[in-house]
C-alpha cells in the first residue's frame, strides 16, 4: 500500500473514531435531556390530575350517601377534557378496577404498572410498541379506606422521532464529514508525498547507472534534508566510482606498461641466447652476447624487486623505529658513491644530527633511487648534493643535481609506474620506470612531504620533509 493511502486510511479511522465517540456522548446527552423533560412533563400532568381529583372529592367524601365510584368517571371525564394535554390519556381505578374510561377496549395499561397501583409511591414506565412510545405515570390516593389509582399516559412518539431523526442526521453528517475530510487529507497527502515520489524516481534513475543524477528538491523540512543527504550520498558514490574507474584504468595501464617493459629485455635475452645456441661465435662476440643477457637479466631482477616492494608497501604495515639522520645519510652515501664516482661525478653531503621515526632499509632504498636518478641526469664532472638539516619540528633531506632537468608537464607524472622522462637513457642505464613510484610509495608510508623543483637544462632539486622523533630528541639532549 502506498504511503499516501496509509496516511488517508489512518486519518479517516481517527476522524471516524473521534466523531463517533464525541457524537455518541453529545447525542446521548441531548436525548437524555429530551427524555428527562418529557418525564418531567408526564409527572407534572399526573400531579395535576391527582390534585384535581382530590379537590373534587373533598365535597363528597363527607357525604356517605354519595358513592365515590359513581362520581369518579364524571370527575375524570371533566379533568381529561379540560385540564390535560391532548397527547395525554387518563386512567382511573377504584380498588383495582377501572372506572375510567368506561370502555374496556380503550384501556391500554401494562400489567406491571397495574401491579404498582397499590403502592403509595409515584411510579413511571416507558413503553414502546411498533409505532408509538408512551410514558405511563401512576399514583395512588386513599379515600374511605379505598384506593384510587390515577394513571396518565403521555405520548412521546414525536420526541422519540426527533431523537431518531437526530441520530440519522448525525450519521449522515458523519459520512459527509468523512468523505470531505478524506478528500482533503488525500489532496494534502498527495501534495506532501509528491516530493518523495520525485525523489524515488531520482533514486531509481541513479540505481540504473545514471550517477550524475541529482535531486533539485528544495524545502526547509525533512524532505529537503533527505534531498540534501541523497545528493551528498550521490556525490560520494560518484566519487568512489570515479576512483574505482581510475584505479581500474591505472591497473590496466600498469599491466600494459609492465608487459611492454618486460618485452624488450626478454626479446634481447631470447635473441642473444638463440644466437649463442645456434651459431659458433668468436669468443669476443660470445662474451658480448652473454654480457647483454646478463645486463638485461639484472634489469628484470631489479624490476621484480621494485614491483615486490611496491606490492608490499600497498598491502603491508610498515613498523617504524627511531633512526639517526647522520647514520642513515652516510649509509646511503656508502652505497651509491662507487657508481657515482665511476661516472666521474662529485657527491657532496652534509647531515645535521637528529632522529626520525622510519623503516631504515626502506628509507635508504628511497634515497638511493633519488641519488641514482640524479646520477643518470648529470653529466661527467658535475656535482650532486645530498644534505639534511633540522627545520623547526621537521627534518629536511635534499637531493640536488645540475643535470638535464625535468619539464614542468612531466613533474606531476614522474611518480607514475613505468614513467620515464628520457626512456632511451633510462633503459641504457638499466631502469624500468619503477624507481620514482617506489620512492613515492615509501615516503607516503612514512608520512613525508615530497616536493620536486626542476628546470630544463639547469637541474633538479628533490626535497623530502619528515617529522622529527621527539622521544629520541630527549635522549640526544641528555647525551
Amino acid at each position: 500500500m502506498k504511503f499516501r493511502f496509509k496516511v488517508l486510511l489512518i486519518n479517516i479511522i481517527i476522524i471516524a473514531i473521534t466523531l463517533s465517540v464525541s457524537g455518541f456522548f453529545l447525542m446521548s446527552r441531548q436525548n437524555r435531556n429530551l427524555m428527562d423533560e418529557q418525564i418531567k412533563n408526564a409527572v407534572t400532568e399526573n400531579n395535576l390530575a391527582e390534585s384535581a381529583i382530590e379537590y373534587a372529592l373533598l365535597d363528597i367524601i363527607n357525604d356517605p350517601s354519595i358513592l365515590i365510584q359513581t362520581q369518579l368517571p364524571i370527575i375524570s371525564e371533566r379533568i381529561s377534557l379540560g385540564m390535560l394535554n391532548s397527547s395525554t390519556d387518563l386512567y382511573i381505578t377504584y380498588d383495582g378496577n377501572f372506572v375510567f374510561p368506561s370502555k374496556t377496549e380503550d384501556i391500554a395499561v401494562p400489567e406491571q404498572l397495574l401491579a404498582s397501583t397499590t403502592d403509595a409511591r409515584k411510579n413511571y414506565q416507558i413503553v414502546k410498541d411498533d409505532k408509538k412510545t408512551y410514558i405511563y405515570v401512576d399514583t395512588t390516593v386513599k379515600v374511605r379506606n379505598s384506593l384510587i389509582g390515577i394513571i396518565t399516559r403521555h405520548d412521546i412518539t414525536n420526541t422519540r422521532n426527533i431523537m431518531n431523526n437526530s441520530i440519522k442526521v448525525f450519521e449522515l453528517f458523519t459520512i459527509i464529514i468523512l468523505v470531505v475530510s478524506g478528500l482533503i487529507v488525500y489532496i494534502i497527502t498527495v501534495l506532501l508525498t509528491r516530493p518523495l515520489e520525485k525523489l524515488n524516481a531520482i533514486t531509481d534513475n541513479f540505481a540504473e547507472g545514471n550517477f550524475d543524477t541529482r535531486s533539485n528538491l528544495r524545502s526547509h523540512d525533512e524532505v529537503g534534508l533527505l534531498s540534501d543527504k541523497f545528493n551528498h550520498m550521490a556525490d560520494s558514490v560518484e566519487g568512489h566510482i570515479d576512483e574505482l574507474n581510475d584505479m581500474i584504468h591505472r591497473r590496466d595501464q600498469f599491466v600494459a606498461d609492465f608487459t611492454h617493459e618486460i618485452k624488450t629485455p626478454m626479446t634481447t635475452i631470447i635473441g642473444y641466447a638463440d644466437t649463442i645456441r645456434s651459431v659458433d661465435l668468436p669468443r669476443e662476440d660470445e662474451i658480448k652476447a652473454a654480457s647483454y643477457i646478463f645486463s638485461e637479466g639484472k634489469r628484470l631482477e631489479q624490476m621484480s624487486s621494485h614491483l615486490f616492494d611496491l606490492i608490499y608497501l600497498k598491502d603491508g604495515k610498515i613498523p617504524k623505529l627511531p633512526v639517526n639522520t647522520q647514520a642513515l645519510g652516510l649509509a646511503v652515501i656508502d652505497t651509491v658513491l662507487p657508481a657515482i664516482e665511476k661516472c666521474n661525478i662529485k657527491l657532496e653531503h652534509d647531515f645535521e644530527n637528529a632522529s626520525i621515526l622510519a623503516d631504515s632499509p626502506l628509507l635508504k632504498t628511497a634515497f638511493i633511487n633519488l641519488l641514482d636518478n640524479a646520477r643518470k641526469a648529470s653529466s661527467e664532472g658535475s656535482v650532486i648534493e645530498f644534505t639534511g638539516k633540522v627545520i623547526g619540528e621537521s627534518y629536511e633531506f635534499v637531493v640536488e643535481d645540475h643535470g638535464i632537468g625535468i619539464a614542468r608537464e612531466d613533474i606531476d607524472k614522474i611518480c607514475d609506474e613505468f614513467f620515464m622522462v628520457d626512456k632511451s637513457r633510462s633503459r641504457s642505464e638499466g631502469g624500468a620506470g619503477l624507481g620514482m613510484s617506489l620512492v613515492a610509495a615509501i615516503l607516503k608510508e612514512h608520512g613525508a612531504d615530497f616536493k620536486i623543483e626542476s628546470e630544463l637544462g639547469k637541474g633538479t632539486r628533490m626535497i623530502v620533509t619528515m617529522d622529527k622523533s621527539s622521544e629520541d630528541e630527549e635522549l640526544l639532549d641528555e647525551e
Side-chain angles (χ1 to χ4, degrees), residues 352 389-396 468:
E352 292 185 6
K389 61 181 179 179
V390 176
I391 301 178
E393 297 298 320
S394 302
Y395 194 89
E396 182 180 88
K468 292 192 301 179

Side-chain angles (χ1 to χ4, degrees), residues 65 73 93 103 202:
S65 62
T93 64
K103 295 182 178 179
I202 293 170

Side-chain angles (χ1 to χ4, degrees), residues 404-414 419 421 452-457 459-460:
I404 60 175
I406 305 171
R408 185 180 300 274
E409 61 271 14
D410 290 335
I411 291 178
D412 294 335
K413 299 183 289 184
I414 198 169
F419 180 80
V421 175
I452 301 174
E453 299 173 354
S454 184
E455 188 175 346
L456 285 175
T460 302

Side-chain angles (χ1 to χ4, degrees), residues 310-382:
L310 279 173
I311 294 171
Y312 174 68
L313 283 170
K314 290 178 179 179
D315 297 336
K317 185 67 178 177
I318 309 301
K320 303 177 185 67
L321 297 172
V323 176
N324 183 268
T325 54
Q326 281 187 341
L328 176 66
L330 293 175
V332 174
I333 295 295
D334 291 340
T335 302
V336 301
L337 190 59
I340 291 177
E341 289 180 341
K342 185 178 179 182
C343 296
N344 196 22
I345 297 173
K346 185 178 180 181
L347 178 59
E348 297 179 353
H349 61 86
D350 182 29
F351 305 102
E352 292 185 6
N353 192 29
S355 178
I356 56 175
L357 284 176
D359 183 293
S360 183
L362 282 177
L363 204 56
K364 181 180 176 181
T365 300
F367 288 125
I368 289 172
N369 274 280
L370 292 179
L371 288 167
D372 192 50
N373 285 339
R375 176 187 65 81
K376 294 174 183 177
S378 301
S379 57
E380 290 187 13
S382 62

